[in-house]
Amino acid sequence: MSNYNWCHGPTCHEQHTQDRIRGVKGSKVLRTRKLRENYYNQRSIWGYFCSMGCYNDFAKEHMADIIAIAPRTEALETPVDVVKEKVTSRWNSNHTYMETKITRVDNDIG
Ligand SMILES: [Zn+2]
C-alpha cells in the first residue's frame, strides 16, 4: 500500500492533459492528479501539488487564510556587515571593479 495525495490545485481537474482523462467513452472526466508519496516529494510542496501552476493557483485562492497562519506585522532584519572591495577580473587582469560583500553578523553568540 502506498500513500498518496490528490493535487490541491483548485483547477487541476480542468487542465486539458491526457493523463487526467478517466472513465469510459460517453462518460469521460478530467480528474485531479494523484501524487504518490516518494523519497523526493515527501515533506515538500511536490507531495501536494503536481505543478507550479497548481501551487500558485492554490496560494492565490487561499492567500488570506495562508497569511492568517503567520501574519507579519513588522519587518524582520538580519544584522550584516557590508564591505566594498576592489576586485580584479578573473578574465582580464587589467579590469577591476567594486564588489559589495554582505556578511551575516551573528549577534546571538557571546
Ligand atoms: Zn495539479
Side-chain angles (χ1 to χ4, degrees):
M1 194 183 97
S2 66
N3 292 334
Y4 67 88
N5 294 311
W6 295 106
C7 175
H8 283 56
T11 63
C12 188
H13 64 290
E14 296 173 5
Q15 306 307 312
H16 293 193
T17 64
Q18 292 202 22
D19 68 303
R20 289 178 169 97
I21 299 171
R22 294 290 183 278
V24 295
K25 191 170 185 175
S27 61
K28 289 192 182 292
V29 295
L30 292 170
R31 183 179 291 167
T32 300
R33 281 180 171 157
K34 183 187 259 188
L35 308 167
R36 295 202 184 285
E37 187 178 285
N38 60 41
Y39 176 79
Y40 301 103
N41 69 16
Q42 62 183 348
R43 291 183 296 278
S44 85
I45 63 167
W46 306 120
Y48 299 93
F49 299 95
C50 75
S51 68
M52 206 68 217
C54 280
Y55 178 72
N56 288 338
D57 290 346
F58 180 88
K60 269 186 239 164
E61 188 167 308
H62 299 287
M63 185 67 72
D65 293 331
I66 294 167
I67 297 301
I69 294 168
R72 170 143 306 136
T73 56
E74 58 189 42
L76 304 180
E77 295 182 344
T78 303
V80 293
D81 274 337
V82 179
V83 179
K84 293 208 183 259
E85 284 181 0
K86 192 172 184 178
V87 179
T88 303
S89 169
R90 276 191 278 174
W91 296 278
N92 179 356
S93 59
N94 294 326
H95 178 68
T96 60
Y97 58 95
M98 295 302 289
E99 192 171 274
T100 303
K101 294 205 173 187
I102 299 173
T103 311
R104 185 179 180 136
V105 176
D106 203 343
N107 287 339
D108 294 338
I109 297 172

